[in-house]
Amino acid sequence: MSFREFKEHVKKCVEIAIGEAEYPMIDFEPIEPPRPEFGDLSVNVAFIIANKLGLNPLEVAEIIGDKLRIPEDSLIEDFEVHKLGYINFKVRYPYLAYRSILDAISKEDYGSLNIGKGKKVCIEHTSVNPNKALHIGHVRNLVIGDSIYRILKFTGYDVQVLNYVDDSGLQIADIVTGFKYAGFSLEPPEGMKFDHYCGDEVYVKVNELYSKRPELIIKQKEVLRAIEEGKSEIAIFAKELTKKILKEQLKTCWRIGAVYDCLNFESHIIEARLWDLLFNKIKDKGIVQFVKEGKLSGCWVIKMEGEKDEKVLVRSDGTLTYIAKDIPYAAWKIGLIEDPFQYDVFVRQPNGKDLWSTVSGKGREDHPTFGNSDLAITVIDVRQSRLQKIISYVLSLLEGGLGKKYLHLGYEVVSLSKKTADELGIMVKDKEFIHMSGRKGIYINADDILDALHKKAYEETKKRNPNESEEWLNNIAEKIALSALRFDLIKQDLDKMIIFDLNESLNLEGETGPYVQYAHARAASIIQKAGVIPKITLDSASSLNDPVELELIKMVSKFDLYVEDAVKNLSPKTIARYAYQLATNFNAFYEKKPVLQEKDEMKREARIALVQAFKNVVKNAFSLLGIETPDRI
RNA sequence: GGGCCCGUGGCCUAGUAUGGAUUAGGGCGUCAGCCUGCGGAGCUGGAGGUCGUGGGUUCAAAUCCCACCGGGCCCGCCA
């Protein structure tokens, strides 16, 4: 924690010096210099002030330097005015080492912050149509959403996770048509998960059949109408079917490590007439207009500032468009309409937490409060950006200064590399990748990737642990597989497309989750062999003075700064990069500095404590990404 | 046609929000090394760079502005 103190201390001292020198006060942040010989923090205030007043930066820096008063015994050991005009500060390493190692080995929640102060946030992610299995693209969504959820929780937000289930769309009608009119059996082949069966066999093949058997399209339309109207035998069948698929999907989600608070079914949004609850408010505020003439005659539309075309919300026949269903749902999330839903427990999750869902008819009274958040975050890929922008726009007009906010967290899609597509028997012309499509069968299922990763990890683990039981090996292999997958999908920026290549993703070395897990396991092994309770004193901390030790200490002490960055920018990759860098620092330390063999007792004690500190921090960092760190792998 | 995003060695990527330090960090791959030391899923070193192109702003540009090129996405009374 104390790198933050060091930083604040530097800022304060410089501010006082600027005042003493009677320069105008400016806004600045101490930054980390590019090279260690420039110290641990640096300020460039002299440039800014010099620029403003037309002075020479070096002279300004020297005057500020003259005025700088560093209290005795503070976290700042020394400072230096560089000839270019920077003022560089050196941290007092014994203090930094002592405080951060002590915190890291003694505080369970080391790195946590109270930024949220209990503010209520709901985050929606996963939201896979319940007619197929999760593919790699859905996993990116889940991993982003679940990581953000964990980071928000770690920083003092009161977070609920929602998973939207579109159980009334055309995709559902497709598989119902397959089962009812195209002769598909309700029993999947031996050993095949039901969601895989529905997606890989029924959904894809029914869509192929439409061109050969046009009568099926008629049936599909009938099915869709029946589903929308509810009550009929077909509608009940559809409902049971989607529930069955959803339960299989959830198994995959849990396998990847996600948990949810509530499932929101689209059919219940329609049933609850959510739109009607909102429509008058929107009309009163003049957000929507009724079109009297032209080609949109008879429609209710919305026109956004700066947009050319208006968007239809209510068709001329009175039915609602897609976005008209989304707006009231979004409004419900941030409490702009009263909660009209009934709830019941859908299933108990593996972590023991109940998963609630909206229900048709009467639900339970004792449900938690859902919706009515201060902030709603919706994780959907960038193709939805325009529609999401309209939703944010409408809600911002509607919320009336309550400080409620709707936020779209977009990310680029995952596509398949040509090589992986070839291996799956998918033709790719001219390009190095192909966009996925559930309907066309162009995708790779999450479970299949995990199985492949599991197999690879199992082999590696068995090599290293030949005498361990199958159960142990499989348990560890699964954790390594998840680490590889989750880390791979979270480490890069959200707005970069991922071209997924199965072969490359099977790599467990280098900038990967397993690399970090391995460093953690090395640390765990040292601690276990040390057989003592790690402890640190100011004296022993002072003995840590090799550059590899200092770098590791500094990285440990900066954890909360990275956490803050991650939450402020909703950027989980920040945590992934931090964990990787931390592990790299540890490995460098591990190579260079013996711990258990160290003869000097004080040094040994300090190094054991540093190892324990690293172990705890990397564990906390990885837990924010939903990745476990076993003591042995 | 309008809008959004991306472009950094053979491949992938950090840094871009808030412009700064004559070595632009990593990883994969490649080449050469490193344990009779706590786990080699590791470590050290080498080769490999017009930060898409051109202009502008600035004492200073991968970072800001403009134009262009290349790639992706979105723009329905579908969802």
Side-chain angles (χ1 to χ4, degrees):
Chain A
M1 280 309 245
S2 34
F3 202 85
R4 176 188 295 276
E5 289 169 43
F6 172 52
K7 195 171 175 176
E8 284 164 0
H9 195 31
V10 166
K11 190 170 159 109
K12 193 86 214 152
C13 289
V14 171
E15 278 171 354
I16 291 169
I18 292 172
E20 290 278 310
E22 297 183 356
Y23 285 131
M25 195 48 68
I26 50 162
D27 195 33
F28 70 97
E29 274 305 307
I31 53 156
E32 286 183 65
R35 283 147 64 181
E37 59 265 36
F38 296 143
D40 303 295
L41 275 178
S42 176
V43 295
N44 66 345
V45 291
F47 290 97
I48 303 167
I49 291 169
N51 204 1
K52 237 178 192 167
L53 306 179
L55 302 170
N56 179 336
L58 178 58
E59 281 170 28
V60 174
E62 276 171 346
I63 290 169
I64 293 172
D66 282 344
K67 300 287 183 192
L68 261 172
R69 295 287 170 272
I70 308 300
E72 287 288 306
D73 248 15
S74 81
L75 264 171
I76 300 171
E77 182 176 288
D78 199 7
F79 72 91
E80 174 191 45
V81 177
H82 189 270
K83 62 175 187 293
L84 284 174
Y86 291 95
I87 306 171
N88 297 327
F89 294 82
K90 250 179 83 71
V91 71
R92 196 180 298 277
Y93 268 104
Y95 287 8
L96 184 75
Y98 173 61
R99 292 190 202 177
S100 48
I101 292 173
L102 183 65
D103 278 358
I105 64 178
S106 59
K107 290 182 184 163
E108 192 77 2
D109 62 346
Y110 178 74
S112 72
L113 297 164
N114 190 4
I115 296 173
K117 301 189 171 73
K119 197 167 146 183
K120 210 174 160 196
V121 181
C122 72
I123 180 162
E124 179 196 312
H125 68 78
T126 307
S127 305
V128 183
N129 290 338
N131 68 320
K132 55 172 176 259
L134 272 76
H135 62 54
I136 182 68
H138 302 126
V139 183
R140 186 176 196 185
N141 183 301
L142 178 154
V143 168
I144 291 166
D146 185 59
S147 300
I148 297 275
Y149 155 69
R150 290 162 186 271
I151 291 165
L152 288 170
K153 214 168 68 168
F154 196 61
T155 49
Y157 289 87
D158 176 14
V159 199
Q160 275 182 343
V161 184
L162 308 179
N163 185 350
Y164 184 77
V165 184
D166 182 357
D167 58 345
S168 55
L170 206 59
Q171 340 80 23
I172 311 301
D174 285 334
I175 55 168
V176 171
T177 303
F179 287 121
K180 286 285 176 191
Y181 303 107
F184 283 94
S185 160
L186 270 167
E187 278 305 310
E190 181 70 27
M192 196 177 197
K193 263 183 98 204
F194 190 65
D195 54 342
H196 288 222
Y197 171 63
C198 289
D200 302 357
E201 294 291 318
V202 184
Y203 184 48
V204 171
K205 291 194 177 148
V206 164
N207 273 287
E208 285 167 8
L209 280 176
Y210 286 145
S211 54
K212 284 181 230 152
R213 296 176 53 186
E215 81 275 10
L216 283 179
I217 299 181
I218 316 257
K219 290 292 179 195
Q220 178 215 35
K221 295 278 184 297
E222 285 173 20
V223 168
L224 184 63
R225 203 172 324 123
I227 291 172
E228 278 171 359
E229 282 162 7
K231 309 291 184 240
S232 66
E233 188 244 332
I234 287 280
I236 292 163
F237 175 79
K239 219 154 217 182
E240 292 307 311
L241 185 63
T242 52
K243 268 188 191 162
K244 196 171 167 189
I245 296 170
L246 180 58
K247 282 187 175 164
E248 291 300 316
Q249 290 178 337
L250 284 171
K251 284 183 193 164
T252 305
C253 299
W254 294 330
R255 182 181 183 189
I256 302 169
V259 285
Y260 308 87
D261 292 289
C262 190
L263 302 168
N264 292 66
F265 285 86
E266 173 154 297
S267 56
H268 301 146
I269 290 178
I270 297 166
E271 212 175 290
R273 309 195 64 84
L274 214 52
W275 171 254
D276 294 342
L277 295 174
L278 194 71
F279 194 32
N280 282 335
K281 287 192 192 181
I282 295 188
K283 269 197 281 193
D284 292 348
K285 295 229 180 190
I287 298 169
V288 288
Q289 283 95 35
F290 186 72
V291 181
K292 293 200 177 103
E293 53 194 25
K295 62 178 181 185
L296 295 181
S297 179
C299 298
W300 286 91
V301 301
I302 182 160
K303 192 164 160 65
M304 254 176 86
E305 278 174 61
E307 292 268 341
K308 273 202 163 140
D309 303 311
E310 44 284 275
K311 189 88 198 150
V312 173
L313 296 182
V314 183
R315 301 186 188 102
S316 50
D317 66 2
T319 57
L320 301 180
T321 61
Y322 168 60
I323 190 164
K325 290 176 210 163
D326 262 17
I327 291 172
Y329 172 50
W332 166 84
K333 285 180 178 176
I334 56 173
L336 300 185
I337 45 181
E338 298 225 341
D339 188 359
F341 296 119
Q342 296 287 321
Y343 302 92
D344 205 337
V345 173
F346 186 78
V347 68
R348 166 77 49 97
Q349 301 181 93
N351 69 344
K353 204 163 140 187
D354 281 332
L355 172 55
W356 292 77
S357 85
T358 54
V359 290
S360 184
K362 192 101 185 81
R364 269 168 59 172
E365 295 295 328
D366 60 337
H367 64 83
T369 305
F370 295 109
N372 196 19
S373 302
D374 301 306
L375 170 68
I377 299 171
T378 305
V379 184
I380 325 183
D381 73 56
V382 288
R383 290 173 300 185
Q384 297 285 332
S385 293
R386 196 179 112 87
L387 290 174
Q388 288 292 317
K389 205 171 142 194
I390 295 171
I391 294 171
S392 302
Y393 173 73
V394 172
L395 296 195
S396 71
L397 294 178
L398 208 59
E399 64 95 36
L402 291 170
K404 304 266 187 164
K405 207 173 161 196
Y406 181 88
L407 195 74
H408 169 218
L409 188 64
Y411 62 93
E412 261 292 351
V413 296
V414 182
S415 41
L416 293 179
S417 77
K418 182 176 168 50
K419 226 177 124 210
T420 294
D422 282 349
E423 284 160 14
L424 294 167
I426 299 161
M427 284 285 293
V428 184
K429 278 186 275 180
D430 306 329
K431 294 203 169 167
E432 285 311 302
F433 65 90
I434 182 166
H435 285 296
M436 290 193 286
S437 159
R439 190 178 295 272
K440 292 182 192 154
I442 303 170
Y443 55 82
I444 180 165
N445 282 329
D447 289 312
D448 295 339
I449 296 165
L450 278 170
D451 290 345
L453 278 167
H454 183 109
K455 185 163 172 278
K456 175 87 184 286
Y458 176 93
E459 284 159 9
E460 287 293 323
T461 312
K462 192 173 173 91
K463 254 188 244 166
R464 291 149 210 266
N465 304 278
N467 300 322
E468 287 293 345
S469 69
E470 286 298 300
E471 192 193 347
W472 187 88
L473 288 169
N474 277 314
N475 178 28
I476 294 300
E478 182 71 4
K479 286 175 180 166
I480 293 168
L482 287 169
S483 161
L485 184 64
R486 290 193 66 137
F487 194 89
D488 205 38
L489 292 175
I490 207 74
K491 71 178 178 186
Q492 63 284 81
D493 206 81
L494 298 182
D495 47 31
K496 278 204 159 103
M497 181 165 63
I498 294 178
I499 297 173
F500 184 81
D501 186 278
L502 184 58
N503 213 33
E504 279 174 32
S505 79
L506 288 174
N507 183 20
L508 309 178
E509 293 165 13
E511 202 174 63
T512 66
Y515 171 96
V516 179
Q517 287 178 313
Y518 180 69
H520 174 271
R522 280 175 143 185
S525 173
I526 291 175
I527 296 301
Q528 195 240 324
K529 286 188 174 141
V532 298
I533 294 167
K535 57 178 198 285
I536 189 82
T537 62
L538 186 53
D539 277 346
S540 68
S542 310
S543 72
L544 298 169
N545 51 22
D546 189 276
V548 295
E549 291 167 329
L550 301 183
E551 282 305 310
L552 181 56
I553 289 162
K554 197 159 39 159
M555 208 58 190
V556 164
S557 75
K558 286 193 294 197
F559 182 39
D560 68 317
L561 292 172
Y562 284 86
V563 171
E564 184 179 0
D565 187 338
V567 69
K568 287 199 168 153
N569 297 307
L570 294 179
S571 165
K573 75 162 185 220
T574 303
I575 302 296
R577 304 240 150 243
Y578 171 79
Y580 176 71
Q581 186 56 52
L582 185 69
T584 301
N585 289 141
F586 175 78
N587 277 333
F589 161 79
Y590 183 92
E591 291 292 327
K592 197 167 173 199
K593 292 285 154 188
V595 177
L596 301 176
Q597 281 81 2
E598 175 56 48
K599 298 285 189 300
D600 183 315
E601 205 172 303
M602 191 174 268
K603 278 189 182 165
R604 187 171 69 242
E605 184 183 299
R607 285 185 195 153
I608 289 170
L610 179 56
V611 171
Q612 179 69 44
F614 159 75
K615 184 175 181 291
N616 289 356
V617 177
V618 81
K619 178 173 186 268
N620 280 6
F622 253 33
S623 77
L624 294 180
L625 303 177
I627 304 176
E628 290 187 56
T629 42
D631 280 351
R632 283 198 305 122
I633 66 173

